[in-house]
Amino acid sequence: SQRRLLDETIPAFALTVPDQAQALQASAKRASAALGEFETFLREELLPRSDGSLAVGREQYAFYLRELHGLGLTPEQLLDLGRKHYARIEAELAAQATRIDPDKSWQQITEDLRANHPARDDLLGAYCRAIQRSRDHVRAKGLVTVPPGEEVRCVLSDPSQRAFSPFGVFQQPAPFAAGKIGYLILHPVPEGLGKDKEEALLRAHDYTWIDVIAPHEAYPGHHLQALKAQENPRPMRQVYSTPVFTEGWGLYTEELMHETGFYADPEATRLTQLRLRLWRAARVLLDAQLHTGEIDYDQARAFLVKNIGMEEGATAGEVGIYVSRPSYAISYVVGYYEIMQLREDYRRAKGEAYDAREFHDRLLTLGSLPMPQVRRLLGLEAVTGD
């Protein structure tokens, strides 16, 4: 994928900026050569002495939990917590399936829902419309103050980037940038796949899925989160980010939109929302087990197919996240439950004066800090150190 970026995408882009074309193409050529040398090193020197394990090891993983995330958990305690969250969400998901159709499992209902999806040519448009609806909802319900002059643009991903995530990415507005523009970068369904393969990919983008993902990424999710952090006068608060906060907030917004009536088909989308939360809980189990050597790459992929219902082709990018960013994937569910408890504690402290917009604005403007520091700054709990 990176070789394609350097050998095809950048040289082609260079032609659109003639005054920089020669320099860009030369730089891409040098980078491609360096990448080739690195590939040779991996293949001829590192591979022969590799034991085949992708795990960073228990000690390093514990370091990440403590230093990167500010969590007072050992890997074993994290796994225990992950199993509890997984069981809890799985029970909620089963109960929701029973409410929809007592004669079907959540997996069967999911397959029914997946049949209702946009056409290939309208996939990006469907996401864009859902994002606009989520923006309107946040404003109408007064959930978060939306800064003036912002927007979200929807674009298709470059082929070089499609191996690194199963569906795409969201690019937040950059700190200190003059514009307030976020980008939903979506992997397209390629042409010429054939009817069956195309349908299999499109089924991963049914309308209930899109309704959950749009607010997570844009409003009041990562887009607004980044913009509110930029309102903090301290430059470090604008650039520093801990994933337990950021991804926890993204998952929290899915629940917030359920609570405030955003979803067009509430019962069906609730099932999809819980299914996606189960997926995030599975990430805790798989990420921790992979990096402490309890499972391997293929076992992680098989778990996602069997227990989460993920399409097999999407699991490579998903497990690739665990491999390339150890401990990152645990942040969604861990952070979600932290923020839910934080909200309850803040509501209790404020009493009748509690206001959702004030809580969300204040929380996001603090910046994406570790949860102990967030609690201290909200006046809920003292912690030692900064």
Side-chain angles (χ1 to χ4, degrees), residues 57-334:
R58 185 196 178 281
E59 183 178 349
Q60 184 65 29
Y61 200 78
F63 175 85
Y64 288 143
L65 296 182
R66 182 178 65 253
E67 302 297 336
L68 177 61
H69 304 297
L71 298 173
L73 296 170
T74 66
E76 293 77 17
Q77 289 170 330
L78 174 68
L79 265 174
D80 184 57
L81 183 65
R83 291 186 180 104
K84 290 177 181 177
H85 288 329
Y86 188 92
R88 173 182 177 180
I89 299 164
E90 191 173 39
E92 292 181 60
L93 182 53
Q96 181 63 18
T98 299
R99 281 190 287 272
I100 294 173
D101 189 336
D103 297 324
K104 291 185 176 181
S105 66
W106 69 262
Q107 292 93 336
Q108 291 171 316
I109 297 173
T110 294
E111 289 306 305
D112 293 341
L113 295 176
R114 282 175 163 168
N116 186 24
H117 57 73
R120 183 180 63 83
D121 292 341
D122 189 42
L123 186 60
L124 189 64
Y127 277 93
C128 289
R129 292 191 295 273
I131 286 173
Q132 184 58 53
R133 282 182 48 242
S134 70
R135 184 176 188 265
D136 294 342
H137 180 87
V138 166
R139 284 182 157 180
K141 296 293 183 179
L143 301 180
V144 183
T145 302
V146 180
E150 57 74 38
E151 66 173 304
V152 171
R153 297 175 184 174
C154 304
V155 298
L156 296 176
S157 65
D158 184 83
S160 65
Q161 301 303 303
R162 293 170 192 170
F164 301 102
S165 65
F167 304 109
V169 296
F170 189 86
Q171 183 174 307
Q172 301 174 5
F176 317 124
K180 299 177 181 179
I181 303 172
Y183 292 89
L184 177 73
I185 306 172
L186 186 71
H187 299 339
V189 175
E191 297 182 16
L193 288 177
K195 184 177 180 180
D196 291 344
K197 289 185 179 180
E198 179 178 299
E199 176 64 14
L201 289 177
L202 286 171
R203 286 173 67 86
H205 299 276
D206 73 85
Y207 285 110
T208 64
W209 165 283
I210 293 173
D211 256 14
V212 175
I213 294 299
H216 177 114
E217 300 295 354
Y219 305 95
H222 295 313
H223 176 66
L224 282 189
Q225 179 183 30
L227 292 178
K228 300 303 288 184
Q230 291 174 24
E231 294 177 2
N232 193 293
R234 298 185 178 186
M236 183 59 73
R237 295 281 188 86
Q238 298 181 39
V239 299
Y240 177 81
S241 176
T242 177
V244 169
F245 187 99
T246 58
E247 301 299 2
W249 172 260
L251 193 51
Y252 167 78
T253 64
E254 297 177 15
E255 182 67 12
L256 180 64
M257 297 300 259
H258 163 71
E259 294 172 341
T260 56
F262 168 72
Y263 299 130
D265 187 340
E267 292 300 315
T269 308
R270 179 62 169 173
L271 184 129
T272 297
Q273 182 205 349
L274 290 170
R275 176 172 64 86
L276 297 188
R277 192 183 299 168
L278 188 70
W279 165 33
R280 275 54 166 262
R283 285 177 159 180
V284 178
L285 306 181
L286 299 177
D287 189 275
Q289 290 178 313
L290 184 68
H291 286 293
T292 54
E294 294 186 27
I295 62 172
D296 61 24
Y297 177 84
D298 291 334
Q299 288 172 316
R301 292 186 66 181
F303 184 98
L304 291 166
V305 173
K306 179 181 178 181
N307 297 283
I308 305 302
M310 187 176 290
E311 294 294 330
E312 185 175 2
T315 62
E318 172 67 13
V319 179
I321 295 172
Y322 315 159
V323 173
S324 62
R325 306 182 72 179
S327 81
Y328 185 92
I330 73 167
S331 303
Y332 297 76
V333 158
V334 172

